[in-house]
Amino acid sequence: MSIVNLVPSAVALADVVSRMSLDVSVSSGLNTSFDHWRSLVDHSSFYMAVETDRHGHCLSILASHTVVPANDYWTVLPLVVHDSFKAILAQPAPDIHQRTIQIAYHDSQQRWLECNVHYFNTPTNEPRCLLLVRETTNEHQAVLAFQQEKLGAIAYERFKFSILELVLKEQDPLRILEKIVRDIEAMHRDVYCAMVLTQNLGKLVQTVIAPSLPPALLQTLRHLQLEAGNGSLATSIVMKQRVIVENVMTHPYWVNHREAALAAGVEAGWSEPILNADGDALGAFAIYYRHAQTPSALEQSMIAQATKLMSIVVDRHLSQESIQSLAYLEPVTGLPNRKRVYEVLHAFNAQPKTSDAWGVIYLDLDHFKWINEAHGHDIGNALLKQVAERLQKVAGAHFIACMGGDEFTVVMTDLSSQPDKALLQLWTMQRKLQKIFDRPFKISGQKLTITASMGLCSLHEAALADADYVKAADIAMHKAKQSGRNQACVYEPGMQTEIATQVMLETELREAIALQQFRLHYQVQVDHTGRPFGAEVLLRWHHPQRGLISPLQFIAVAESSGLIIDIGMWVLDQACAQIAVWQGALKTRELSLSVNISARQFSQTNFVSMIKSCIQRHQINPNALRLELTESVLLENVDDAVRIMAELSQLGIQFSLDDFGTGYSSLQYLKKLPLYQLKIDRSFVHDLVTDSHDRTIVRTIIAMAQSMYLSVIAEGVETQAQMELLLNNGCRRYQGFLFGQPMPIEQFNDCLQQVLV
């Protein structure tokens, strides 16, 4: 924040407070309010902090986005807000100490200002105001965009159910289809919609439903040849897949239709095939935009669902039951959906009270996204179907549903009226459900393993509404995931607050990525002579309020949310950039740099290409890059790990097995991996001098590494005695506080210059 005419603003406010000798509680409140205001300010837009009297006369400028001539802050405020600001400066009553207003105004665009006034008195009882002004246009625009998207989603849900009702009542399919087209046009600005039905539908031969489409394009569709590459719509029908064309004037699919598009004022178009239950193309639905653009994810989801409705109307072989199933069954697994769950729970609650109770088990597959990312959505959907089949067999007569995606719910009835026994019955079912994941799932010739986290909620826990029982079990499930996944947890009051904290941390992590709040620290690695041969790069989060945050506090959330992929790519890019700097200098060109690779990164299908691209971008010698992997990462799929490591090893990249000794440590899989180095975990080094068991483990690891011709390094070395024991047992490379703490690159390079003489 730029400060005008004063020392930094926190000091300036402190000077004001001390000059007036305010009451401690008053001064503390002003400082807190001022600091909070500063944290919200967007430095690229309008802001101002002023101390005034009650008439609005300026006593001092504390902060401003620009120079204020002669401390006359009114000259830099938009004229349209003057009256409102003068009105709020007058304290309406002695017991009112603060007021806030939001003001909308126009200059070149619609803008918003927030004015916050704090009223206080000096020790001589002179009235004063602390006037805090900041522009909030971006915040209002973000809220407006969110509200518009939410309203759009709500409107679409209403549209969907209105169409389903119409399908049940209306006999003429063409009338229903025309209403669908018109309603979708009404929900989207500046678009034309069209539906083409193919000739395999009997009386609906080559039917075009496009009530608003300009004549030029309408004629084109009526004479359309169904060939791949002949426009978006024909291609989507032939290929049975979505086709998106951002600019019809440049895309090859539109070579034969550009004149018609130009005459119709259309610049972009995309089509979604209408498929029946067997996957046959019944036609396609197209949206044409008047401006070059691509559809949003929400629009794509909406239209995909709309075409499902169209297929119901067009394919008259679908029965009344299939229409009902669209409303109450989850499409992938065929199980009852979330809406049906709430109806069942409501029915249970509405029944006369009996001595029996009921409970909910909420189940979520662990790392299911990884299956989709590594094998594709078709394999993922096949896995969900098999999971659903196994769950149904175990659940028996109990109600089971798919809540969407990879989440399932089991509602158990006829539980004991005694809370302890009812909970025991829930746990018994949970263990049965957990066992279905012991065996691999066979899909398309592959064996896939996956686990699940579960949350349990009993009727006895609290008097909750229908949906709240599901929410409580969901919260308990998330608590189980935090405990390491493949776990189960019973809902307890207070869990929601803890989960909310994790959600807030994920939100802050997203902001940290966008605002570039991450920093890299470097910890030196030395040989037995004390000479540096490399370093490990370590991630730190420079939070604007909490300062430097250790990865231990946020890496788990980054992993589970998928944010670790973006974070890891940034770390890798920064590391390669630093290697390039070192390799450009005589003293440091032989240094290596170790980078930790997360399980989520390593499982990405494009992991190898990302590494290669980073090396090529920075033009570094790959021998200097050392990737550190944990045993758990490699054991998820040893064959894939060997393939990936072998391909990167051919480039010269070296691999280090991190935290060695804490996992399986099996020679059978170790000998398959193209490793360069084993890293002895700090937990064995910490008590090395005093614990004979740790000394035995360390000697075994070193002997194992030597027998496999692998380098070995010990981390967490903090004393000379630890180093000497390691050296006497054959370990000649070390990392730890004895040699240097993790530090920013500037400080690290200064230390290197002193050592590398």
Side-chain angles (χ1 to χ4, degrees):
M1 185 184 299
S2 59
I3 308 301
V4 180
N5 299 331
L6 283 176
V7 290
S9 55
V11 178
L13 184 63
D15 289 343
V16 172
V17 171
S18 62
R19 185 177 71 245
M20 295 182 294
S21 302
L22 295 179
D23 180 85
V24 173
S25 62
V26 175
S27 64
S28 175
L30 290 177
N31 274 307
T32 300
S33 299
F34 186 79
D35 288 340
H36 177 68
W37 173 80
R38 282 200 305 160
S39 70
L40 298 175
V41 164
D42 178 359
H43 299 171
S44 63
S45 59
F46 184 96
Y47 64 90
M48 178 182 294
V50 186
E51 180 197 3
T52 77
D53 60 19
R54 292 296 163 82
H55 302 293
H57 299 137
C58 178
L59 301 179
S60 61
I61 303 292
L62 303 178
S64 175
H65 75 296
T66 186
V67 176
V68 181
N71 279 1
D72 185 5
Y73 65 95
W74 295 103
T75 60
V76 297
L77 283 171
L79 185 62
V80 69
V81 305
H82 283 201
D83 290 341
S84 299
F85 276 35
K86 288 175 182 177
I88 199 175
L89 285 171
Q91 187 175 12
D95 58 336
I96 295 178
H97 303 289
Q98 177 186 351
R99 285 202 293 174
T100 301
I101 60 172
Q102 296 275 357
I103 302 175
Y105 69 99
H106 275 278
D107 44 19
S108 59
Q109 59 180 349
Q110 174 79 31
R111 302 175 69 171
W112 287 83
L113 284 184
E114 178 191 83
C115 175
N116 198 318
V117 177
H118 295 264
Y119 309 102
F120 60 93
N121 288 353
T122 66
T124 57
N125 211 30
E126 297 175 39
R128 293 285 187 270
C129 294
L130 176 59
L131 177 65
L132 304 175
V133 184
R134 68 184 183 94
E135 184 173 346
T136 56
T137 303
N138 290 339
E139 296 172 24
H140 278 273
Q141 289 175 342
V143 170
L144 182 61
F146 173 77
Q147 290 174 340
Q148 289 176 338
E149 184 171 293
K150 188 173 182 181
L151 288 173
I154 293 172
Y156 184 78
E157 285 298 312
R158 291 173 178 169
F159 153 77
K160 183 172 71 173
F161 283 102
S162 70
I163 295 299
L164 285 171
E165 287 182 354
L166 188 61
V167 169
L168 294 172
K169 298 175 183 177
E170 177 62 61
Q171 297 302 312
D172 185 354
L174 291 179
R175 289 187 60 184
I176 301 173
L177 294 174
E178 184 173 340
K179 177 172 172 52
I180 291 175
V181 173
R182 290 187 183 276
D183 286 356
I184 293 176
E185 282 186 338
M187 286 188 289
H188 298 77
R189 297 177 57 187
D190 297 326
V191 302
Y192 302 114
C193 295
M195 186 187 306
V196 169
L197 305 177
T198 53
Q199 60 183 0
N200 63 343
L201 295 177
K203 65 177 183 179
L204 300 178
V205 173
Q206 293 181 330
T207 301
V208 178
I209 302 173
S212 303
L213 196 65
L217 263 184
L218 184 59
Q219 283 298 108
T220 298
L221 295 185
R222 284 174 175 166
H223 300 91
L224 188 64
Q225 296 296 316
L226 299 182
E227 299 172 353
N230 187 32
S232 311
L233 202 146
T235 304
S236 69
I237 293 174
V238 175
M239 303 298 292
K240 299 182 183 179
Q241 64 186 23
R242 179 181 302 157
V243 175
I244 298 175
V245 174
E246 183 178 358
N247 192 326
V248 300
M249 295 303 166
T250 58
H251 200 283
Y253 286 176
W254 280 74
V255 170
N256 299 327
H257 311 300
R258 286 175 186 163
E259 290 184 8
L262 189 63
V266 166
E267 294 187 17
W270 65 290
S271 301
E272 186 84 10
I274 303 172
L275 307 176
N276 66 8
D278 296 324
D280 300 322
L282 306 175
F285 178 75
I287 293 185
Y288 301 107
Y289 292 91
R290 298 172 197 174
H291 305 286
Q293 65 182 85
T294 56
S296 67
L298 179 63
E299 288 176 322
Q300 292 185 45
S301 174
M302 287 180 176
I303 302 307
Q305 294 178 56
T307 54
K308 185 71 174 178
L309 292 175
M310 297 171 193
S311 70
I312 292 174
V313 179
V314 176
D315 189 357
R316 304 309 294 174
H317 297 290
L318 292 178
S319 65
Q320 184 103 1
E321 287 74 22
S322 66
I323 296 175
Q324 292 291 340
S325 73
L326 187 66
Y328 290 104
L329 294 184
E330 196 278 326
V332 175
T333 62
L335 292 175
N337 60 13
R338 182 182 294 268
K339 181 180 179 182
R340 183 61 181 153
V341 170
Y342 293 146
E343 288 191 358
V344 168
L345 291 177
H346 182 73
F348 285 159
N349 264 340
Q351 291 175 357
K353 300 302 178 184
T354 65
S355 58
D356 296 328
W358 49 275
V360 176
I361 299 177
Y362 202 106
L363 181 153
D364 183 272
L365 302 184
D366 298 325
H367 298 310
F368 177 71
K369 289 182 179 179
W370 296 11
I371 299 290
N372 277 337
E373 291 168 358
H375 302 283
H377 288 277
D378 289 342
I379 297 294
N381 287 344
L383 175 61
L384 289 175
K385 291 177 182 177
Q386 289 195 21
V387 169
E389 291 171 1
R390 292 189 188 182
L391 290 174
Q392 283 179 294
K393 289 180 181 179
V394 173
H398 296 294
F399 180 82
I400 182 171
C402 180
M403 307 299 281
D406 60 343
E407 299 179 359
F408 300 85
T409 292
V410 177
V411 179
M412 294 185 65
T413 56
D414 301 328
L415 297 182
S416 172
S417 59
Q418 300 179 31
D420 291 344
K421 289 185 177 180
L423 188 58
L424 182 61
Q425 289 173 302
L426 275 176
W427 276 116
T428 301
M429 175 57 71
Q430 182 276 326
R431 284 190 288 272
K432 291 180 180 179
L433 296 173
Q434 201 92 43
K435 282 186 177 180
I436 73 164
F437 299 99
D438 291 346
R439 293 180 290 112
F441 294 83
K442 295 180 181 179
I443 300 171
S444 300
Q446 303 180 66
K447 289 185 178 180
L448 300 178
T449 57
I450 197 166
T451 59
S453 299
M454 303 188 200
L456 288 66
C457 178
S458 167
L459 173 67
H460 301 286
E461 297 298 327
L464 301 172
D466 307 333
D468 289 341
Y469 281 107
V470 177
K471 183 178 180 182
D474 187 12
I475 289 171
M477 179 273 294
H478 280 89
K479 178 66 175 177
K481 281 191 178 290
Q482 292 175 13
S483 301
R485 302 181 188 273
N486 196 25
Q487 305 286 331
C489 184
V490 177
Y491 174 77
E492 296 176 359
M495 278 186 177
Q496 189 167 2
T497 302
E498 188 174 339
I499 299 297
T501 301
Q502 295 298 315
V503 173
M504 183 180 297
L505 181 60
E506 181 179 332
T507 302
E508 290 185 332
L509 274 174
R510 294 184 189 279
E511 292 179 355
I513 294 172
L515 300 177
Q516 299 182 344
Q517 294 175 355
F518 291 110
R519 302 289 184 270
L520 295 182
H521 284 199
Y522 296 73
Q523 187 171 32
V524 70
Q525 296 174 332
V526 303
D527 61 20
H528 64 287
T529 68
R531 184 174 180 81
F533 66 85
E536 180 180 4
V537 62
L538 302 166
L539 183 65
R540 298 292 185 267
W541 179 6
H542 188 74
H543 195 281
Q545 279 78 45
R546 299 197 293 270
L548 281 180
I549 300 178
S550 166
L552 295 176
Q553 300 179 43
F554 65 84
I555 284 296
V557 176
E559 279 272 9
S560 62
S561 63
L563 295 174
I564 194 66
I565 297 172
D566 290 336
I567 295 173
M569 192 60 229
W570 177 81
V571 172
L572 187 65
D573 186 75
Q574 295 293 305
C576 288
Q578 185 55 51
I579 291 173
V581 173
W582 283 345
Q583 290 181 347
L586 181 63
K587 290 182 179 180
T588 56
R589 65 186 180 187
E590 300 299 328
L591 292 178
S592 64
L593 190 56
S594 296
V595 181
N596 289 286
I597 300 298
S598 73
R600 195 71 178 270
Q601 277 181 280
F602 194 72
S603 67
Q604 293 294 296
T605 54
N606 62 342
F607 177 72
V608 172
S609 61
M610 285 194 304
I611 299 291
K612 290 180 177 179
S613 175
C614 200
I615 290 172
Q616 187 174 10
R617 182 164 58 253
H618 294 285
Q619 293 294 297
I620 63 170
N621 181 350
N623 290 325
L625 179 61
R626 192 163 298 158
L627 303 182
E628 294 196 0
L629 304 167
T630 61
E631 294 178 73
S632 59
V633 171
L634 300 176
L635 284 175
E636 287 197 2
N637 192 322
V638 176
D639 292 336
D640 281 351
V642 170
R643 176 183 55 78
I644 293 169
M645 294 171 68
E647 187 172 351
L648 292 176
S649 294
Q650 290 177 359
L651 299 178
I653 295 172
Q654 299 174 341
F655 287 91
S656 176
L657 190 54
D658 198 8
D659 301 337
F660 187 73
T662 60
Y664 294 91
S665 307
S666 167
L667 278 172
Q668 188 169 356
Y669 85 84
L670 271 182
K671 65 184 182 182
K672 296 181 179 180
L673 302 172
L675 292 170
Y676 166 78
Q677 181 183 74
L678 300 183
K679 196 169 192 179
I680 303 174
D681 186 68
R682 65 178 64 249
S683 62
F684 303 123
V685 176
H686 186 268
D687 296 323
L688 184 64
V689 177
T690 58
D691 192 319
S692 60
H693 295 292
D694 283 347
R695 286 198 295 275
T696 300
I697 292 172
V698 168
R699 280 198 296 268
T700 303
I701 293 173
I702 295 172
M704 185 185 296
Q706 291 173 343
S707 68
M708 299 177 67
Y709 303 101
L710 298 178
S711 171
V712 63
I713 183 173
E715 66 175 353
V717 181
E718 299 181 356
T719 68
Q720 190 68 31
Q722 290 171 341
M723 176 185 168
E724 290 174 358
L725 268 172
L726 289 164
L727 179 60
N728 292 336
N729 283 281
C731 177
R732 296 171 176 270
R733 294 193 167 193
Y734 323 98
Q735 178 182 339
F737 286 178
L738 180 62
F739 314 102
Q741 296 190 8
M743 59 187 71
I745 189 60
E746 297 81 10
Q747 185 179 350
F748 184 83
N749 282 333
D750 289 343
C751 292
L752 279 180
Q753 295 304 320
Q754 297 174 19
V755 178
L756 297 176
V757 180

